[in-house]
């Protein structure tokens, strides 16, 4: 894809196309937008990325990406220390925080168990979670993992690791059913059948 | 959208969401991908953007974005000096170069005339084009501008500026019609009617 604009621009496009949701064409558009809006976009974004590269790390308690360590959530004395919400990734944590329904703390596993992709328990932050439940006064662990095969396999594995601790910790799962505002016609059969069986 | 990950991460997301094709959700996904792939993506992309910010400028002859000045195309002695292809933006230039059908030089206007958006002739690189045609031995100027109202208005305005120079320069326009591989059923009426009238 030689376009005669120099290797720096081609390299910029190649790297932008590695971002999720950007293909070669949208990466070219993004590169052009950056180069045309040098002062308003290219330089501020470069600085923001440099800042992130310098300051963001994983919280040593929960594993969340943050510029503080421990992260703001773990360090906040106002949050319930007895509840831990287990999520796959930071994106799920961010979604929970936007909703604002949970006032406890989090644990970011950093992925899901997958025989296919070769992700084993030791590749995830499971030992750290077991340690937190063993040593803290945790009463409830909420599994907010995806409702996929990998998500549920991981939830069961984690629950099996927590139960033998024998300190009466309750393990709960997010409810499953019809999404709020969801039309049955657009839902998959599995969700409808599950929602029907669990009707109340 | 406070997510408790710190202002640096929120700022990164806010800036990423200004890229074309990225909304708030895809900007969050892009930010997470960057932060999770620090060594493979975040740092190389930051460096590529810094490089681009430092080195890329507009060619003083044709206006194209390039790390050289004059750009590689203008500086290439192997390219036909007598033909100029006029484009709106670098993206059109890149598209022409990918195709490889044109061996002359370019002129990037940097936009299109638009009464609505307040884009006037002096906001575009039109004077520079007139000067190139006046002083060089140009035999043909190809208007490769979009087939929109603004594109065609701009093409006519530019042609009106070039004609009085009286040095016999030929002004041509990209052919219009059915795209290669295009099915009539999917085409707009204007294109079909134009292609019919211009049949040969």
């Amino acid at each position: 894809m030689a376009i005669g604009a120099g290797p720096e621009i081609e390299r910029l496009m190649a790297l932008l196309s590695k971002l999720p949701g950007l293909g070669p064409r949208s990466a070219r558009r993004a590169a052009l937008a950056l180069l045309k809006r040098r002062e308003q976009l290219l330089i501020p974004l470069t600085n923001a990325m440099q800042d992130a590269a310098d300051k963001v790390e994983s919280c040593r308690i929960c594993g969340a990406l943050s510029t503080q360590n421990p992260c703001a959530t773990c360090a906040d004395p106002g949050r319930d220390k007895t509840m831990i919400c287990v999520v796959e990734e930071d994106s799920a944590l961010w979604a929970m925080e936007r909703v604002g329904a949970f006032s406890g703390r989090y644990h970011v596993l950093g992925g899901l168990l997958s025989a296919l992709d070769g992700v084993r328990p030791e590749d995830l932050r499971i030992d750290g979670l077991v340690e937190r439940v063993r040593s803290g006064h945790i009463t409830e662990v909420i599994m907010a993992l995806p409702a996929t095969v990998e998500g549920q396999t991981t939830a069961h594995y984690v629950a099996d690791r927590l139960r033998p601790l024998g300190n009466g910790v309750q393990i709960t799962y997010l409810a499953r059913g019809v999404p709020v505002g969801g039309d049955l016609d657009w839902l998959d059969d599995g969700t409808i059948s599950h929602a029907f069986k669990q009707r109340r």
Side-chain angles (χ1 to χ4, degrees), chain A:
Chain A
M1 196 182 73
I3 49 166
E8 287 85 355
I9 296 181
E10 309 231 354
R11 184 166 161 71
L12 178 62
M13 288 179 191
L15 284 164
L16 282 170
S17 74
K18 290 188 184 170
L19 288 176
L22 290 188
R25 183 184 294 263
S26 42
R28 284 199 300 268
R29 281 181 62 210
L32 186 60
L34 285 168
L35 293 169
K36 284 195 70 175
R37 299 176 61 200
R38 193 175 179 282
E39 306 300 326
Q40 308 96 307
L41 193 53
L42 176 55
I43 291 177
L45 182 55
T46 307
N47 293 341
M49 286 168 59
Q50 190 65 57
D51 244 26
D54 291 344
K55 295 185 195 164
V56 175
E57 50 186 336
S58 290
C59 170
R60 63 174 177 266
I61 299 175
C62 72
L65 292 166
S66 176
T67 45
Q68 300 173 42
N69 200 349
C71 72
T73 312
C74 285
D76 183 351
R79 295 193 70 125
D80 190 343
K81 281 191 179 76
T82 66
M83 292 168 85
I84 295 179
C85 178
V86 178
V87 293
E88 175 192 1
E89 288 289 4
D90 289 84
S91 48
L93 186 161
W94 299 340
M96 290 285 292
E97 284 298 285
R98 279 199 307 277
V99 172
F102 178 63
S103 63
R105 298 183 176 184
Y106 292 93
H107 198 86
V108 182
L109 293 181
L112 297 174
L113 296 177
S114 165
L116 227 70
D117 298 332
V119 183
R120 295 155 309 167
E122 55 267 37
D123 299 323
L124 306 178
R125 289 190 198 88
I126 296 177
D127 288 344
L129 175 64
V130 171
E131 199 42 46
R132 284 178 77 183
V133 173
R134 189 200 313 271
S135 58
H137 301 281
I138 310 295
T139 58
E140 183 176 357
V141 173
I142 303 155
M143 298 286 177
L145 297 174
T148 58
V149 172
E150 282 88 359
Q152 296 313 297
T153 308
T154 309
H156 282 295
Y157 177 86
V158 171
D160 283 348
R161 289 281 305 273
L162 296 179
R163 244 181 248 108
L165 298 178
N167 51 3
V169 62
Q170 206 178 355
I171 297 169
T172 58
Y173 298 82
L174 290 190
R176 292 215 234 151
V178 181
V180 175
D183 186 333
L184 288 198
D185 199 26
W186 292 89
L187 274 176
D188 64 294
D189 298 355
T191 302
I192 295 178
S193 134
H194 186 92
F196 181 76
K197 280 187 210 142
Q198 302 283 318
R199 68 189 179 277
R200 54 196 185 97

